[in-house]
Amino acid sequence: MSRCDKDVIIEKAIELGKLLANSDILNDLREAEIAFLNDKEAQFLLEDIKKLKKNGDKKEAGNLRLKLLKLDSYRRLLEAQETSKKLIEEIHGILNYYINGTLPKCDGNSCANCSRRCMSNE
């Protein structure tokens, strides 16, 4: 790889990083994290869950986790985390496709329009 190619790749990676950092998906995640951290009830529940787990009371910790799951701030955080995780997985899949020629869930059914040889058919 020439130095020019490497520089272009790094430049594009920086560009992608900036796009991600400023995306609605990651902004939503940051806002959800802030809301969760500022939710006193959620933080008390989280601390109690940690203490109960440390003391081996997993049943009561599980009961408190159910209460935590009912809080809007926690559900919003989980949804935002899942959405951002899916985006990162999709980006990873695209990179993997162009590097290795396969999609993350590559199988005979998903490669109908694949211009590369599917590794699952080997």
Side-chain angles (χ1 to χ4, degrees):
M1 170 186 299
S2 73
R3 182 73 185 156
C4 180
D5 288 344
K6 181 180 178 187
D7 291 344
V8 171
I9 291 168
I10 298 301
E11 181 182 312
K12 295 297 181 181
I14 291 169
E15 184 179 341
L16 177 60
K18 288 178 180 178
L19 287 169
L20 286 169
N22 294 314
S23 70
D24 290 343
I25 290 173
L26 291 182
N27 282 330
D28 289 346
L29 176 60
R30 284 189 284 274
E31 289 173 8
E33 288 172 340
I34 290 168
F36 177 71
L37 291 172
N38 288 322
D39 183 335
K40 292 192 186 309
E41 183 180 2
Q43 296 308 306
F44 285 131
L45 284 170
L46 196 59
E47 283 302 313
D48 287 345
I49 291 168
K50 288 178 186 177
K51 288 176 188 174
L52 289 167
K53 282 185 177 180
K54 186 177 180 180
N55 294 333
D57 192 351
K58 293 182 181 181
K59 183 178 180 182
E60 186 59 30
N63 291 336
L64 290 183
R65 179 142 164 64
L66 292 175
K67 285 184 179 181
L68 187 63
L69 284 167
K70 292 179 181 178
L71 297 178
D72 287 337
S73 67
Y74 188 61
R75 284 197 320 271
R76 180 178 170 210
L77 176 62
L78 292 177
E79 289 170 9
Q81 287 173 334
E82 184 62 26
T83 301
S84 62
K85 178 182 171 188
K86 285 180 182 178
L87 175 62
I88 298 301
E89 287 173 350
E90 188 173 351
I91 292 167
H92 179 264
I94 292 166
L95 292 173
N96 189 49
Y97 174 78
Y98 284 98
I99 293 168
N100 299 314
T102 59
L103 298 170
K105 296 179 182 176
C106 190
D107 62 33
N109 297 323
S110 67
C111 295
N113 296 322
C114 185
S115 61
R116 298 178 184 227
R117 189 175 122 148
C118 182
M119 295 177 77
S120 70
N121 291 329
E122 291 180 358

